[in-house]
Amino acid sequence: MKPSVILLLLILPTILLVSSAPTLASSIEPWLNPRAYNISYGDDVLVYYVEDFQFGFRVRAIQKGNVEIIYPQTEFSARMVFQKGDSVVFRVKTIDVVHGFNIFHYLPTSEGTNVIVPGEVYEFGPILMNVPGKFKIRDPVPCDALNPFEYGDIVVEPNNIYYNLLLMTIATAIATLLYITLALNRTFISRELDLLGIPLIGGFLRGLLKWRGSTFLLQLLNLAVFLLIIIAGLIGNPTGGMNFSITVVWVLWFAAVEFMIFFGGRVWCTMCPMPVLGEWIARRRIVEVSRKWFSLNRKWPERLDNMWISAMGFLGISLFIVWITTRPIATAILFVFMILIPIFLHLYNPKRYFCRSVCPANYIGYHANASILAVRAKDRETCVRHRTKECASGSPTGYGCPWELYPGGNNDSTYCGQCFECFRSCPLDNMTLKLRMPGRDIPKVALQKTTRKIRYDEVWMGFIRFSLAIFYELIFFGTYNKLKDWADMNRTWGANWASVGVLTPTVGDLADWFKWAILVSGISLILFPAIFYTFSWAAKKVAKSEISTNRIFAAFSYSLAPYGQLLWMSFAVALFLVNWARPLNSFLDPFGFNWDVLANVGLDKFQWHPLFEDQIIMLEAPFVFAGLFLGIITTYNIGRELFRDAKKALKSTAVMTILYVLCALIVIWIIAG
Amino acid sequence: MRRGLWEWLALIIVLLTVGGVLLTPLFIPFLDQYFIKAEHPDAIVVKGYVGQHGGYEPKIIKVRANETVRIAFYAMDLPQSLSIDALNLDTGVVVPEVTEEKVIEVKFTTPGIYVFRNTVPNGPMSPFQIGYIVVEGGQK
Ligand code: SF4
Ligand code: SF4
């Protein structure tokens, strides 16, 4: 026999064997064989054989009645679709470690955690799928570092909630456009209320804000929490969900800040502990006002006086978000840098350049103009006439604006850190807090920032924040387990300082992470901006405008400030409702050492279970609609400033609305579809 | 410009706060004993960390022969167990945040070194999660 024939005879069976391996493996695994159980279900009962594994769930086989078995290929995502009225049995097995198996509404954690131990097959059901909608499968047992991301989806058709939400998205857009059309020449969202002018409350609030101790006390409290976060991250329980550093920062703070932005602008920056040590050292004072700096007091380089570092910092952190939100040591290291860097920068220049240009949380500033609160002059004319302008230069009672603004003339909240120094330094008490419609100043700000030189740093901060709002929803609550695995560099363990070595990735892990990093950066830095540019170009054509596409593109991008903010709030709602118990438990047991510091007063730790698990989707969706509404209205207002023509503004807004609606539909699809 | 009273007060408060929080690690062993021991004051507390801290904390327990001792076992990170083959004793799976700690009573009659281990498979480090019970002979 010829050698080539022998080779072929050897290779052929191998190829056949390998190609048939998955089917063979599926069919011969005893736990997937219905005859092995000796249990008879009715013909209309569906039996789902579900594998529980680190990072998710996988359907291995579906049995209809007692006979027919289908082996689905669901390697990538865990999604099970049923019809209303289906009767379903889940046979669940873990292929690695101990897991849990609970389903929102159908097998709720409040009725007990279903622990799945290796080696056993667990049966749940028959469950009558009588409520249509989308429900999460969740593993409530801390099984590995990525456990907080472990989800599967169950969809019971007809998923009318989803279809209705899709329709409502489109209806919101049409209604908003109609509203604009019917009141074409009206300037929307222009009203303001002087909060400190309200009798009694206003006076009290002004007194509080002018008192230097108010900011100090808030900063001190947060500084203590901040240092505790670092210590817990270094020496506390390596499992993120049990460590103060993770739960308080990435559930409580992360969710709270999104709401703070909308209701209070940069109010987080008022109390932020990150730059305070640097600031106190540079000022040589903590609460008093000094005239001498402990700082080189050099000029901040103009090239760096923008948001590029912050935007890239936020994107960079997001690329490691799976590690940072699950490994206490990663959060601790991040926060150590967030204290050290401002100290060094304040020694170079005593003003808040760290906050203006470096802090990754500077996205707060990007969205601040979408807030309903702003620091503004009570009366602009008074500021114009006032010669000495202590709000900018300082007085014995207050520093000149540490954020290097002229507060009296400021109409842009982006870089106003709400430190209230101008309230303290202004001898005429002319600074105040204004309550307004969200996005009121955005049109003017967008025009200013695209007139002489386009602020591409802020424009890209907008794109990064907007696209990541959608990505975070997908990563935190979606079922694309492979994606999570890549982002996690396939690591299993949580880590503190003592066990940081377990995070060392292999070359293959790094290669996987690169796939994830390229995907996320590609979408937020290139793909989404490119799509936005295309729509801006189309908007220009439809409006028959002479203005350059670049300028329209940049100006319209500011409408993502309110829209993106509302999407983040929608994410924050789900984040908090699902994980609320973890940060609360961390206050009773900060290091995750199984303490309960209030046991003596009878306060037990909370058992993990989602709040309003049947309503989460309905609580998230209104934020998406509100974001869409504000995005469209803001685009129209920007268009009016830009084109100086209501009709052109309307036409271009209609084009941009198509993009906004598509984005909203994607979000609705992720949360409800 | 000299510092006023408020500034001194603020400085002292800051130093106390920063110092207090930074020195917390020094008090952890004490607090740990206080908060954990409070539940089972008469038991030896053993904490299990899968694949970390050497698996169990403490890793070595000393008991005397013919003495009955109680071991309170806490799963600290992942579901796990404490099993003593020589006595055919096993806590069963203890799931953090889900099952309470398990308390077992042990009594060794023969002095020697005995191994306790985790019988729950939970990743590649499971086989390395072992601790030792040193049983000393003679009277107290
Ligand atoms: S910009 Fe960053 S560091 Fe500065 S106050 Fe705001 S959050 Fe804190
Ligand atoms: S001093 Fe500057 S940063 Fe502070 S509140 Fe006034 S304008 Fe904003």
Side-chain angles (χ1 to χ4, degrees):
Chain A
M1 218 187 283
K2 281 185 182 171
S4 56
V5 177
I6 299 173
L7 210 64
L8 201 68
L9 283 176
L10 279 173
I11 290 172
L12 211 62
T14 319
I15 292 173
L16 283 174
L17 207 68
V18 169
S19 60
S20 63
T23 331
L24 272 178
S26 305
S27 56
I28 57 168
E29 270 184 58
W31 80 285
L32 299 176
N33 180 0
R35 280 162 209 95
Y37 297 109
N38 231 353
I39 303 170
S40 171
Y41 302 106
D43 277 350
D44 49 354
V45 173
L46 289 162
V47 187
Y48 268 64
Y49 295 78
V50 181
E51 235 172 38
D52 204 337
F53 63 105
Q54 283 177 324
F55 317 131
F57 305 87
R58 185 162 48 206
V59 180
R60 289 293 310 277
I62 303 166
Q63 178 189 337
K64 283 186 180 166
N66 286 324
V67 201
E68 194 188 334
I69 288 240
I70 306 157
Y71 296 99
Q73 299 295 312
T74 46
E75 285 289 315
F76 202 66
S77 149
R79 197 178 151 78
M80 301 166 213
V81 182
F82 304 113
Q83 294 301 319
K84 186 182 173 193
D86 278 352
S87 196
V88 185
V89 170
F90 293 95
R91 292 196 153 276
V92 188
K93 187 183 175 201
T94 161
I95 54 166
D96 40 42
V97 301
V98 179
H99 288 287
F101 186 83
N102 285 83
I103 305 170
F104 284 19
H105 179 80
Y106 284 108
L107 276 178
T109 333
S110 49
E111 288 173 14
T113 302
N114 300 315
V115 179
I116 311 288
V117 179
E120 308 272 328
V121 178
Y122 294 79
E123 184 175 295
F124 304 103
I127 298 172
L128 180 65
M129 296 291 166
N130 53 356
V131 178
K134 183 179 181 181
F135 305 91
K136 291 276 170 209
I137 308 176
R138 175 82 182 105
D139 170 6
V141 170
C143 55
D144 60 66
L146 218 60
N147 173 263
F149 293 78
E150 195 178 333
Y151 285 101
D153 279 342
I154 283 184
V155 176
V156 181
E157 294 283 7
N159 187 359
N160 286 337
I161 293 179
Y162 170 52
Y163 306 126
N164 287 340
L165 290 178
L166 291 180
L167 284 178
M168 281 167 78
T169 307
I170 295 166
T172 305
I174 293 172
T176 315
L177 283 177
L178 269 177
Y179 171 54
I180 296 172
T181 317
L182 293 177
L184 203 55
N185 287 314
R186 243 179 80 192
T187 309
F188 295 99
I189 53 181
S190 61
R191 306 233 169 90
E192 277 191 309
L193 171 76
D194 181 351
L195 207 58
L196 303 193
I198 301 174
L200 291 176
I201 308 170
F204 172 74
L205 213 56
R206 179 175 291 282
L208 201 66
L209 297 177
K210 286 185 75 171
W211 178 47
R212 305 196 62 80
S214 56
T215 351
F216 164 69
L217 288 177
L218 286 172
Q219 289 170 335
L220 182 75
L221 179 75
N222 281 319
L223 183 64
V225 172
F226 198 91
L227 294 174
L228 191 61
I229 286 166
I230 293 178
I231 291 172
L234 291 174
I235 64 165
N237 195 315
T239 305
M242 299 179 202
N243 191 306
F244 190 82
S245 67
I246 297 292
T247 57
V248 168
V249 177
W250 301 115
V251 178
L252 202 59
W253 176 84
F254 208 39
V257 159
E258 298 304 344
F259 279 83
M260 281 188 207
I261 297 174
F262 187 78
F263 292 105
R266 282 195 94 134
V267 68
W268 166 252
C269 299
T270 309
M271 57 182 116
C272 174
M274 293 191 271
V276 296
L277 288 182
E279 190 168 58
W280 291 340
I281 294 170
R283 286 178 174 176
R284 299 165 183 249
R285 290 291 185 278
I286 296 171
V287 285
E288 288 180 346
V289 181
S290 102
R291 288 274 139 208
K292 272 201 213 146
W293 302 116
F294 184 75
S295 167
L296 296 174
N297 207 0
R298 297 264 170 82
K299 190 174 163 9
W300 184 255
E302 217 163 288
R303 268 180 307 143
L304 299 183
D305 194 8
N306 51 51
M307 254 192 206
W308 279 119
I309 301 177
S310 298
M312 293 306 142
F314 180 67
L315 176 63
I317 286 177
S318 299
L319 294 182
F320 288 98
I321 196 69
V322 172
W323 269 26
I324 291 174
T325 53
T326 52
R327 290 5 186 255
I329 185 66
T331 291
I333 292 174
L334 174 71
F335 276 35
V336 166
F337 279 105
M338 295 298 282
I339 277 199
L340 291 182
I341 296 172
I343 291 180
F344 286 121
L345 294 185
H346 273 93
L347 292 177
Y348 182 79
N349 183 300
K351 297 298 180 100
R352 286 283 189 111
Y353 282 103
F354 170 77
C355 302
R356 278 180 65 109
S357 312
V358 181
C359 175
N362 210 359
Y363 61 78
I364 299 174
Y366 171 76
H367 292 289
N369 280 318
S371 168
I372 58 166
L373 196 78
V375 170
R376 295 286 186 269
K378 225 188 303 183
D379 170 38
R380 280 284 152 83
E381 284 308 305
T382 311
C383 291
V384 174
R385 285 195 305 271
H386 186 226
R387 290 260 200 84
T388 44
K389 302 207 182 335
E390 281 90 342
C391 63
S393 60
S395 78
T397 50
Y399 288 94
C401 177
W403 291 65
E404 297 280 54
L405 303 174
Y406 161 46
N410 187 36
N411 70 348
D412 173 9
S413 301
T414 314
Y415 300 101
C416 164
Q418 292 180 210
C419 63
F420 304 113
E421 287 299 339
C422 51
F423 285 60
R424 294 158 193 156
S425 55
C426 172
L428 306 178
D429 268 352
N430 194 37
M431 292 307 294
T432 191
L433 272 178
K434 290 201 172 164
L435 208 57
R436 65 251 300 281
M437 294 298 282
R440 181 188 183 276
D441 286 335
I442 290 180
K444 288 218 160 52
V445 169
L447 201 72
Q448 273 167 20
K449 290 181 173 173
T450 51
T451 301
R452 248 172 283 141
K453 196 172 150 238
I454 294 178
R455 288 293 302 262
Y456 284 115
D457 54 321
E458 292 183 10
V459 171
W460 250 262
M461 175 63 106
F463 291 137
I464 291 170
R465 274 284 287 177
F466 189 83
S467 31
L468 287 187
I470 302 176
F471 244 107
Y472 271 53
E473 188 76 49
L474 200 66
I475 281 295
F476 277 70
F477 301 112
T479 53
Y480 295 94
N481 304 315
K482 206 75 194 159
L483 207 59
K484 300 178 190 188
D485 205 3
W486 289 349
D488 189 47
M489 292 189 225
N490 312 302
R491 302 285 86 204
T492 307
W493 308 103
N496 59 16
W497 183 250
S499 57
V500 66
V502 298
L503 293 180
T504 318
T506 63
V507 176
D509 299 337
L510 281 175
D512 278 349
W513 179 80
F514 269 110
K515 288 183 216 164
W516 144 265
I518 288 170
L519 186 75
V520 177
S521 325
I523 290 177
S524 52
L525 292 179
I526 301 168
L527 184 67
F528 182 64
I531 295 172
F532 200 92
Y533 190 90
T534 313
F535 273 86
S536 307
W537 173 82
K540 171 190 154 94
K541 291 287 165 203
V542 170
K544 296 198 177 82
S545 165
E546 297 297 310
I547 297 170
S548 76
T549 312
N550 277 3
R551 198 167 164 218
I552 296 173
F553 159 75
F556 278 176
S557 78
Y558 281 87
S559 57
L560 298 180
Y563 190 4
Q565 186 50 41
L566 270 291
L567 290 190
W568 277 99
M569 286 163 75
S570 154
F571 167 75
V573 167
L575 184 70
F576 184 76
L577 290 180
V578 171
N579 297 300
W580 64 276
R582 301 214 183 275
L584 295 193
N585 282 345
S586 284
F587 282 100
L588 302 177
D589 180 16
F591 298 98
F593 288 164
N594 256 327
W595 300 354
D596 182 352
V597 296
L598 292 181
N600 286 342
V601 294
L603 192 62
D604 274 345
K605 285 200 208 159
F606 302 92
Q607 163 113 49
W608 180 89
H609 71 270
L611 289 179
F612 305 112
E613 61 188 53
D614 282 354
Q615 289 87 23
I616 288 181
I617 292 172
M618 298 311 285
L619 291 172
E620 276 189 90
F623 289 95
V624 181
F625 301 146
L628 180 61
F629 169 78
L630 284 177
I632 298 171
I633 291 273
T634 312
T635 305
Y636 173 71
N637 285 338
I638 294 172
R640 279 192 49 172
E641 285 287 329
L642 203 60
F643 304 121
R644 301 259 156 224
D645 178 330
K647 283 210 176 112
K648 284 186 178 182
L650 179 64
K651 283 181 187 165
S652 54
T653 304
V655 175
M656 297 310 293
T657 301
I658 299 171
L659 174 62
Y660 300 161
V661 169
L662 288 176
C663 294
L665 291 178
I666 292 175
V667 179
I668 294 294
W669 168 70
I670 295 173
I671 61 179
Chain B
M1 212 174 101
R2 292 167 64 88
R3 283 188 172 80
L5 180 66
W6 287 113
E7 182 64 24
W8 280 114
L9 198 62
L11 187 63
I12 292 167
I13 296 174
V14 168
L15 289 177
L16 284 178
T17 311
V18 173
V21 181
L22 290 182
L23 291 178
T24 321
L26 297 180
F27 301 103
I28 281 180
F30 164 73
L31 295 169
D32 203 19
Q33 284 299 311
Y34 175 76
F35 287 122
I36 286 227
K37 266 275 194 191
E39 293 173 41
H40 304 285
D42 58 338
I44 300 169
V45 171
V46 178
K47 298 182 187 176
Y49 290 92
V50 179
Q52 296 178 18
H53 295 258
Y56 291 103
E57 221 181 56
K59 203 162 177 55
I60 299 171
I61 305 169
K62 284 192 180 160
V63 298
R64 303 197 71 81
N66 293 317
E67 182 189 18
T68 304
V69 288
R70 283 153 57 81
I71 295 177
F73 174 61
Y74 291 79
M76 300 301 288
D77 47 6
L78 309 183
Q80 54 196 287
S81 70
L82 187 154
S83 172
I84 307 167
D85 293 341
L87 297 181
N88 206 10
L89 261 179
D90 196 326
T91 58
V93 191
V94 181
V95 183
E97 295 182 342
V98 178
T99 14
E100 303 264 297
E101 67 286 352
K102 287 273 170 69
V103 183
I104 49 171
E105 280 194 357
V106 297
K107 183 177 172 184
F108 290 91
T109 47
T110 319
I113 297 175
Y114 299 86
V115 169
F116 57 92
R117 63 190 182 92
N118 172 17
T119 50
V120 178
N122 38 16
M125 304 301 263
S126 285
F128 303 101
Q129 193 181 355
I130 53 172
Y132 303 95
I133 300 179
V134 178
V135 182
E136 291 165 343
Q139 298 297 309
K140 263 193 195 174

